[in-house]
């Protein structure tokens, strides 16, 4: 019969603490397995649908000049790209504070991710506005795309205008009321054909009781950090764009 695994022992911990901690450790091991299982399911998805058009975005070229670029051209020599829909549409005076805190953290990650695949930050605001905000925040490694002149954001649910009438009714969205959403979309290019691979549909799934801010948790270090603590992420605090 296999013996119980050897575990850590922190200074002066009680037997009751260790029993509860070992039970939690078993749950953490199970969660680790489930995370990998979900990642495997994501990798095993069949090819998604081709985009309805080869969207034309605006970006800054290598010489700092604005240029038009098609979705199919964003891949460069990579088979996969990720686009994050940034909640900074032209109707907003300031970007979403939730998006801003995520991008504050992801800018450093982008330095490394861009070695593997291009990561783009896209919004409906003009390019100069997006890049100006990036300078204000001190972001150094993002590639911004303006979707000001195309329907990418609504087609791929970076705002609620593309949501079906049935979902609007189910979610209680009011007629004519729309807003942007924090959505990641992954696209692939195989044999010259661009296809959608995966998107963060959890953004549009109703939260269960006691859940908060979990739609893009997989890349959000803030909420995961707070989840390590006895207080957790709570329900009455949310990150701000600026602090005193």
């Amino acid at each position: 019969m296999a013996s119980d695994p050897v575990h850590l022992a922190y200074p002066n911990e009680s037997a009751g603490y260790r029993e509860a901690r070992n039970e939690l450790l078993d749950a953490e091991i199970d969660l680790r397995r489930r995370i990998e299982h979900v990642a495997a399911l994501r990798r095993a998805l069949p090819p998604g649908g081709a985009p309805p058009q080869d969207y034309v975005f605006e970006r800054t070229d290598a010489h700092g000049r604005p240029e038009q670029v098609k979705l199919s051209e964003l891949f460069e020599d990579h088979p996969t790209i990720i686009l994050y829909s940034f909640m900074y549409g032209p109707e907003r005076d300031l970007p979403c504070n939730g998006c801003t805190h995520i991008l504050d953290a992801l800018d450093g990650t982008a330095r490394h991710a861009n070695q593997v695949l291009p990561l783009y930050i896209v919004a409906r605001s003009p390019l100069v506005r997006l890049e100006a905000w990036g300078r204000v925040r001190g972001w150094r490694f993002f590639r911004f795309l303006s979707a000001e002149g195309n329907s990418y954001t609504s087609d791929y649910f970076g705002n609620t205008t593309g949501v079906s009438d049935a979902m609007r009714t189910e979610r209680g969205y009011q007629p004519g009321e729309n807003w942007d959403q924090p959505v990641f979309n992954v696209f692939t290019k195989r044999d010259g054909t661009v296809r959608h691979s995966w998107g963060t549909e959890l953004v549009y799934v109703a939260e269960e009781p006691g859940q908060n801010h979990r739609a893009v948790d997989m890349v959000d270090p803030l909420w995961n950090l707070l989840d390590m603590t006895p207080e957790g992420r709570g329900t009455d605090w949310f990150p701000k764009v600026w602090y005193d």
Side-chain angles (χ1 to χ4, degrees):
M1 175 179 281
S3 60
D4 292 335
V6 177
H7 55 73
L8 299 177
Y10 297 106
N12 300 315
E13 67 177 22
S14 66
Y17 174 90
R18 177 44 49 190
E19 181 179 2
R21 182 64 186 93
N22 285 350
E23 182 179 353
L24 172 59
L25 183 59
D26 288 340
E28 290 171 338
I29 293 169
D30 181 62
L31 176 61
R32 184 175 64 182
R33 291 171 180 156
R34 288 174 178 270
I35 289 172
E36 179 50 41
H37 175 65
V38 170
L41 291 175
R42 191 181 298 117
R43 294 192 297 268
L45 283 169
Q53 59 180 282
D54 198 2
Y55 301 102
V56 177
F57 301 94
E58 186 176 37
R59 71 174 178 186
T60 297
D61 68 14
H63 304 287
R65 299 184 296 245
E67 67 172 358
Q68 303 293 304
V69 59
K70 296 179 179 179
L71 176 67
S72 59
E73 297 170 329
L74 295 175
F75 292 82
E76 301 169 350
D77 58 350
H78 297 279
T80 304
I81 58 174
I82 298 178
L83 273 64
Y84 175 69
S85 289
F86 181 26
M87 295 172 65
Y88 193 19
E91 71 283 352
R92 288 180 177 268
D93 294 329
L94 283 175
C96 165
N97 43 341
C99 281
T100 298
H101 97 265
I102 291 175
L103 294 181
D104 283 343
L106 286 185
D107 181 54
T109 299
R111 180 177 194 171
H112 307 284
N114 284 327
Q115 308 305 310
V116 181
L117 82 173
L119 170 64
Y120 297 98
I121 311 302
V122 57
R124 291 178 296 115
S125 283
L127 181 64
V128 292
R129 190 176 191 231
L130 299 177
E131 294 188 335
W133 183 249
R135 289 190 294 273
V136 168
R137 298 306 293 185
W139 296 335
R140 298 174 56 197
F141 302 107
F142 287 139
R143 308 180 189 191
F144 291 98
L145 298 174
S146 172
E148 186 180 22
N150 66 46
S151 63
Y152 167 80
T153 302
S154 58
D155 290 347
Y156 286 94
F157 306 110
N159 65 45
T160 60
T161 59
V163 172
S164 69
D165 291 340
M167 180 174 282
R168 293 185 70 90
T169 299
E170 181 183 83
R171 300 289 187 271
Y173 298 169
Q174 298 301 311
E177 291 184 4
N178 289 291
W179 55 92
D180 39 19
Q181 290 278 39
V183 171
F184 286 89
N185 279 295
V186 180
F187 294 87
T188 61
K189 188 177 182 181
R190 305 285 191 273
D191 299 322
T193 300
V194 176
R195 291 186 180 276
H196 183 253
S197 176
W198 175 85
T200 46
E201 293 187 33
L202 272 177
V203 170
Y204 286 97
V205 175
E207 294 175 347
E208 296 178 3
Q211 292 182 342
N212 294 281
H213 325 306
R214 298 182 185 272
V216 290
D217 264 26
M218 67 180 72
V219 297
D220 194 324
L222 173 62
W223 299 126
N224 284 290
L225 190 70
L226 295 180
D227 276 345
M228 296 180 186
T229 69
E231 296 78 17
R233 62 184 69 188
T235 59
D236 58 355
W237 181 85
F238 198 79
K240 299 179 181 179
V241 172
W242 304 117
Y243 300 96
D244 294 336

